[in-house]
Amino acid sequence: MEQNIETLRTSDIEEESIGLWHNCPQCRNVSFRGELERNGYICPKCKVLFPLSIENRIRLLLGELSSEIDDMNINENEDTECDVLTIVETVDEYPVSLFVLNPDSPLLKKHLTVFSDAIENALTDSIPFLSVFTASPIETEVSFADIVPLLLKLETLAEQTIPHLTVLTETDRRKLTTHLPVGEIIIAECTSQSDNAARFHPQPALHAPEEQLLPEKSRDSNLSVPDISIDCYVPRPEIHEVLVRFLRFFAFTTQ
């Protein structure tokens, strides 16, 4: 009986510890959950960016990631049916139509519907559109023909001078790519300015949705690695502050 009780206690401890420790996806270093929270989910050893759940991604955008987080939102390993989200949120005092795609999810056609809904919210409320998705997509079942309706909607957004900002996540793994349309302003999150000082100097970003309508021939020749351009690299802890600056600028220019 004593042996069974001891086994049960050990099992309970191990089960409770699952959400307290996280393995780095690159160096496999084990970090305590609290340390990662304070560090913005950046590996203290190799500086790789941990993928954020949708809940924690929104907290980052709102400037709340370093605050105390509920257990239901903290477990990055927890399976969830929420792989995409669109919501109207307020970043400081500035409302935005927000689209967030889980970095571990392949791009599916149903996600395009959510993306379209987020654009509609921006058009209806005349507020900036903020899209957030990984720069290292896993795979996609979406073709360029499926993307075209989104590009046409983005043209309407541009005609009404409603800004579209994109935050690309997981930018420290490989060449940056995406299968979703990007905004006029493209922000790539990174670890710190010093860690990214040696990165290549990007070309100017696409500044109108119609410029993303590349000829089919040129797209087909490089469909698996679609090139994009970055306006600025921003350390993950500074994403909120930089977004507020952009939103303040757009709010001022539209007055």
Side-chain angles (χ1 to χ4, degrees):
M1 178 64 69
E2 292 181 359
Q3 183 177 2
N4 292 337
I5 292 176
E6 184 63 32
T7 302
L8 179 60
R9 287 174 178 172
T10 304
S11 175
D12 289 342
I13 292 173
E14 291 178 352
E15 184 175 350
E16 291 175 359
S17 300
I18 291 176
L20 297 179
W21 302 92
H22 294 266
N23 287 323
C24 174
Q26 179 165 293
C27 70
R28 310 308 299 174
N29 184 55
V30 178
S31 299
F32 181 59
R33 186 181 73 182
E35 181 183 11
L36 285 176
E37 289 175 15
R38 292 187 294 271
N39 202 37
Y41 282 89
I42 299 173
C43 177
K45 184 176 182 181
C46 70
K47 305 301 182 184
V48 74
L49 297 169
F50 276 64
L52 293 178
S53 66
I54 289 181
E55 295 88 351
N56 281 337
R57 175 61 60 183
I58 291 176
R59 296 185 72 94
L60 173 70
L61 299 174
L62 300 182
E64 301 173 354
L65 185 59
S66 59
S67 61
E68 193 167 330
I69 302 176
D70 296 335
D71 288 340
M72 63 178 294
N73 292 334
I74 190 64
N75 191 353
E76 305 297 339
N77 297 319
E78 183 179 0
D79 292 333
T80 176
E81 296 179 1
C82 182
D83 59 354
V84 66
L85 177 69
T86 180
I87 188 174
V88 174
E89 271 289 358
T90 301
V91 181
D92 275 16
E93 62 193 82
Y94 306 104
V96 297
S97 176
L98 178 60
F99 168 89
V100 185
L101 181 64
N102 192 309
D104 295 327
S105 174
L107 180 62
L108 308 176
K109 291 184 179 179
K110 67 176 184 178
H111 298 148
L112 302 186
T113 301
V114 180
F115 195 94
S116 178
D117 291 342
I119 300 174
E120 281 294 335
N121 291 337
L123 289 169
T124 301
D125 297 342
S126 296
I127 56 177
F129 174 39
L130 175 58
S131 56
V132 184
F133 44 85
T134 181
S136 301
I138 302 173
E139 58 185 28
T140 180
E141 65 174 28
V142 175
S143 67
F144 179 65
D146 297 322
I147 299 292
V148 170
L150 296 182
L151 295 173
L152 297 178
K153 273 200 170 185
L154 288 173
E155 285 187 1
T156 304
L157 207 67
E159 289 169 359
Q160 297 189 20
T161 64
I162 297 175
H164 174 197
L165 293 80
T166 296
V167 175
L168 291 178
T169 66
E170 289 75 53
T171 62
D172 51 0
R173 309 274 181 89
R174 62 194 78 162
K175 184 176 181 179
L176 306 188
T177 63
T178 179
H179 297 293
L180 280 170
V182 294
E184 297 96 337
I185 301 295
I186 308 174
I187 301 169
E189 70 169 356
C190 59
T191 53
S192 70
Q193 297 291 4
S194 59
D195 292 332
N196 290 270
R199 297 184 75 106
F200 68 95
H201 297 287
Q203 297 297 316
L206 306 174
H207 289 287
E210 59 269 19
E211 291 183 73
Q212 300 176 45
L213 290 170
L214 304 180
E216 289 292 337
K217 182 176 181 181
S218 64
R219 291 187 63 88
D220 290 343
S221 63
N222 197 28
L223 189 58
S224 60
V225 188
D227 291 334
I228 59 174
S229 301
I230 306 300
D231 281 301
C232 57
Y233 286 91
V234 177
R236 175 177 279 179
E238 300 174 19
I239 289 288
H240 169 74
E241 179 184 351
V242 170
L243 277 177
V244 171
R245 291 180 181 179
F246 276 120
L247 294 173
R248 183 183 300 121
F249 168 78
F250 286 119
F252 176 79
T253 57
T254 55
Q255 288 179 351

